[in-house]
Amino acid sequence: MSSSAESYGLRGLAVAVSAIALSALVPILGVPPAQGAPRLVPVASAAVSEEFNGAAGAAPDPSVWTYDVGGGGWGNDEKQVYTNDRSNSRLDGQGRLVIEARRSGNTYTSARLTTRGKFAFTTGLIEARIATPRGTGLHPAFWLLGTDIATVGYPASGEIDIMEFV
Protein backbone atom coordinates (compact mmCIF):
# COMPACT_ATOMS: atom_id res chain seq x y z
CA MET A 1 0.00 0.00 0.00
CA SER A 2 1.50 3.35 -0.99
CA SER A 3 1.57 6.10 1.61
CA SER A 4 -0.45 8.44 -0.64
CA ALA A 5 -3.38 6.00 -0.72
CA GLU A 6 -3.24 4.91 2.89
CA SER A 7 -6.28 5.43 5.10
CA TYR A 8 -4.85 5.35 8.62
CA GLY A 9 -3.82 1.77 7.95
CA LEU A 10 -7.09 0.92 6.18
CA ARG A 11 -7.54 0.54 2.45
CA GLY A 12 -10.47 2.31 0.84
CA LEU A 13 -13.51 3.33 2.81
CA ALA A 14 -13.00 5.51 5.86
CA VAL A 15 -16.58 6.62 6.45
CA ALA A 16 -19.47 5.95 4.11
CA VAL A 17 -22.83 7.59 4.53
CA SER A 18 -25.39 5.92 2.30
CA ALA A 19 -28.31 8.27 2.90
CA ILE A 20 -29.29 11.24 5.00
CA ALA A 21 -32.84 12.45 5.34
CA LEU A 22 -34.01 15.32 7.48
CA SER A 23 -37.74 15.28 8.08
CA ALA A 24 -39.70 17.77 10.12
CA LEU A 25 -42.17 16.05 12.42
CA VAL A 26 -45.39 18.00 12.33
CA PRO A 27 -47.80 17.15 15.13
CA ILE A 28 -51.35 16.92 13.91
CA LEU A 29 -54.29 16.40 16.21
CA GLY A 30 -55.94 13.17 15.18
CA VAL A 31 -59.09 11.45 16.29
CA PRO A 32 -59.06 11.25 20.09
CA PRO A 33 -58.66 7.73 21.49
CA ALA A 34 -61.36 6.19 23.63
CA GLN A 35 -59.88 7.75 26.82
CA GLY A 36 -60.65 11.20 25.44
CA ALA A 37 -57.09 12.52 25.21
CA PRO A 38 -55.97 13.87 21.85
CA ARG A 39 -53.24 11.94 20.12
CA LEU A 40 -50.39 13.39 18.11
CA VAL A 41 -49.66 11.83 14.75
CA PRO A 42 -46.17 12.50 13.36
CA VAL A 43 -46.21 13.41 9.69
CA ALA A 44 -42.88 13.40 7.89
CA SER A 45 -42.17 16.21 5.48
CA ALA A 46 -38.67 16.04 4.08
CA ALA A 47 -36.83 19.34 4.41
CA VAL A 48 -33.64 17.81 2.99
CA SER A 49 -32.98 14.38 1.59
CA GLU A 50 -29.60 13.33 0.32
CA GLU A 51 -29.25 9.93 -1.31
CA PHE A 52 -25.76 10.51 -2.84
CA ASN A 53 -26.92 9.19 -6.22
CA GLY A 54 -24.31 10.98 -8.35
CA ALA A 55 -21.62 9.51 -10.54
CA ALA A 56 -18.56 7.82 -9.07
CA GLY A 57 -15.91 10.40 -8.19
CA ALA A 58 -18.37 13.33 -8.11
CA ALA A 59 -18.58 15.81 -5.26
CA PRO A 60 -21.62 15.69 -2.96
CA ASP A 61 -24.48 18.04 -3.86
CA PRO A 62 -23.26 21.63 -3.26
CA SER A 63 -26.83 22.80 -2.57
CA VAL A 64 -26.71 20.64 0.60
CA TRP A 65 -23.01 20.33 1.48
CA THR A 66 -20.04 22.62 1.90
CA TYR A 67 -16.56 22.02 3.30
CA ASP A 68 -14.62 23.21 6.30
CA VAL A 69 -11.07 23.37 4.98
CA GLY A 70 -7.90 23.84 6.96
CA GLY A 71 -7.15 22.40 10.35
CA GLY A 72 -4.15 20.67 11.73
CA GLY A 73 -5.29 20.95 15.34
CA TRP A 74 -8.96 21.94 15.12
CA GLY A 75 -11.46 20.65 17.63
CA ASN A 76 -9.97 17.75 19.53
CA ASP A 77 -6.31 18.42 18.65
CA GLU A 78 -6.86 16.64 15.33
CA LYS A 79 -3.79 15.78 13.28
CA GLN A 80 -5.35 15.92 9.82
CA VAL A 81 -5.88 18.85 7.52
CA TYR A 82 -9.35 19.03 5.99
CA THR A 83 -9.62 19.44 2.21
CA ASN A 84 -12.32 19.59 -0.46
CA ASP A 85 -10.21 17.32 -2.69
CA ARG A 86 -12.01 14.36 -4.36
CA SER A 87 -9.37 11.99 -2.96
CA ASN A 88 -10.80 12.77 0.50
CA SER A 89 -14.54 12.98 -0.27
CA ARG A 90 -16.50 11.69 -3.22
CA LEU A 91 -19.55 9.76 -4.28
CA ASP A 92 -18.92 6.10 -5.08
CA GLY A 93 -21.58 5.80 -7.81
CA GLN A 94 -23.56 3.31 -5.70
CA GLY A 95 -25.44 5.75 -3.46
CA ARG A 96 -22.70 6.33 -0.88
CA LEU A 97 -20.57 9.27 0.17
CA VAL A 98 -16.99 8.20 0.87
CA ILE A 99 -14.92 10.28 3.27
CA GLU A 100 -11.37 8.97 3.18
CA ALA A 101 -8.45 9.89 5.41
CA ARG A 102 -5.16 9.78 3.54
CA ARG A 103 -1.50 9.92 4.54
CA SER A 104 1.42 11.22 2.56
CA GLY A 105 4.59 11.12 4.64
CA ASN A 106 3.75 12.82 7.95
CA THR A 107 0.75 14.71 6.53
CA TYR A 108 -2.79 13.43 7.02
CA THR A 109 -5.75 14.75 5.05
CA SER A 110 -9.47 14.12 5.37
CA ALA A 111 -12.75 15.92 4.68
CA ARG A 112 -15.13 17.75 6.97
CA LEU A 113 -18.51 18.29 5.32
CA THR A 114 -21.12 20.60 6.75
CA THR A 115 -24.58 21.94 5.90
CA ARG A 116 -23.82 25.31 7.57
CA GLY A 117 -25.61 28.09 5.70
CA LYS A 118 -27.57 25.60 3.57
CA PHE A 119 -30.57 24.90 5.83
CA ALA A 120 -31.60 25.00 9.49
CA PHE A 121 -34.35 23.49 11.58
CA THR A 122 -35.61 23.58 15.15
CA THR A 123 -37.52 20.30 15.37
CA GLY A 124 -37.36 17.18 13.31
CA LEU A 125 -36.02 13.74 12.67
CA ILE A 126 -32.58 13.05 11.27
CA GLU A 127 -31.75 9.66 9.83
CA ALA A 128 -28.51 8.35 8.37
CA ARG A 129 -27.05 4.98 7.44
CA ILE A 130 -23.35 5.18 8.29
CA ALA A 131 -20.56 2.60 8.01
CA THR A 132 -17.53 3.39 10.16
CA PRO A 133 -14.01 1.95 10.16
CA ARG A 134 -11.98 0.58 13.04
CA GLY A 135 -8.45 1.67 13.74
CA THR A 136 -6.15 3.58 16.02
CA GLY A 137 -6.60 7.33 15.75
CA LEU A 138 -9.93 7.24 13.89
CA HIS A 139 -12.88 9.22 15.25
CA PRO A 140 -15.76 9.41 12.75
CA ALA A 141 -18.70 11.48 13.95
CA PHE A 142 -22.08 12.83 12.82
CA TRP A 143 -23.24 15.81 14.89
CA LEU A 144 -25.23 19.03 14.91
CA LEU A 145 -24.23 22.51 16.05
CA GLY A 146 -26.42 25.54 16.67
CA THR A 147 -26.76 28.03 13.80
CA ASP A 148 -25.52 30.83 16.06
CA ILE A 149 -22.05 29.30 16.51
CA ALA A 150 -20.39 32.14 14.56
CA THR A 151 -21.76 34.74 17.01
CA VAL A 152 -21.86 32.94 20.39
CA GLY A 153 -19.13 30.33 19.85
CA TYR A 154 -18.87 26.78 21.08
CA PRO A 155 -20.15 25.39 23.42
CA ALA A 156 -22.73 28.17 23.89
CA SER A 157 -24.28 27.37 20.49
CA GLY A 158 -25.08 23.82 21.62
CA GLU A 159 -24.22 20.43 20.19
CA ILE A 160 -26.19 17.25 19.56
CA ASP A 161 -24.07 14.17 18.93
CA ILE A 162 -25.92 11.77 16.64
CA MET A 163 -23.03 9.33 16.37
CA GLU A 164 -19.41 9.30 17.53
CA PHE A 165 -17.29 6.21 17.14
CA VAL A 166 -13.93 6.05 18.90
Side-chain angles (χ1 to χ4, degrees):
M1 180 182 331
S2 74
S3 64
S4 64
E6 202 167 279
S7 300
Y8 290 117
L10 301 174
R11 186 180 295 274
L13 197 60
V15 175
V17 180
S18 59
I20 292 179
L22 170 62
S23 302
L25 291 180
V26 182
I28 297 176
L29 289 178
V31 177
Q35 294 83 1
R39 68 184 165 102
L40 297 177
V41 180
V43 177
S45 170
V48 172
S49 180
E50 175 64 275
E51 300 296 330
F52 303 112
N53 288 328
D61 183 350
S63 71
V64 177
W65 300 101
T66 188
Y67 294 87
D68 279 344
V69 294
W74 282 359
N76 301 314
D77 197 26
E78 299 156 1
K79 303 297 182 215
Q80 73 271 9
V81 173
Y82 295 109
T83 77
N84 59 1
D85 190 89
R86 293 292 65 77
S87 66
N88 291 121
S89 63
R90 64 196 170 276
L91 304 183
D92 74 351
Q94 298 177 29
R96 290 182 294 259
L97 169 65
V98 176
I99 301 173
E100 184 173 347
R102 302 177 66 84
R103 180 175 74 182
S104 178
N106 290 328
T107 303
Y108 295 89
T109 60
S110 187
R112 184 170 173 168
L113 284 84
T114 178
T115 58
R116 183 178 42 253
K118 302 295 184 175
F119 65 91
F121 62 97
T122 54
T123 60
L125 171 69
I126 297 176
E127 297 177 291
R129 290 184 303 273
I130 301 173
T132 61
R134 293 177 191 234
T136 302
L138 300 178
H139 189 162
F142 178 43
W143 40 266
L144 311 172
L145 292 174
T147 57
D148 59 353
I149 191 166
T151 56
V152 303
Y154 178 84
S157 65
E159 176 180 339
I160 298 174
D161 292 328
I162 306 297
M163 183 277 308
E164 266 190 89
F165 186 72
V166 180

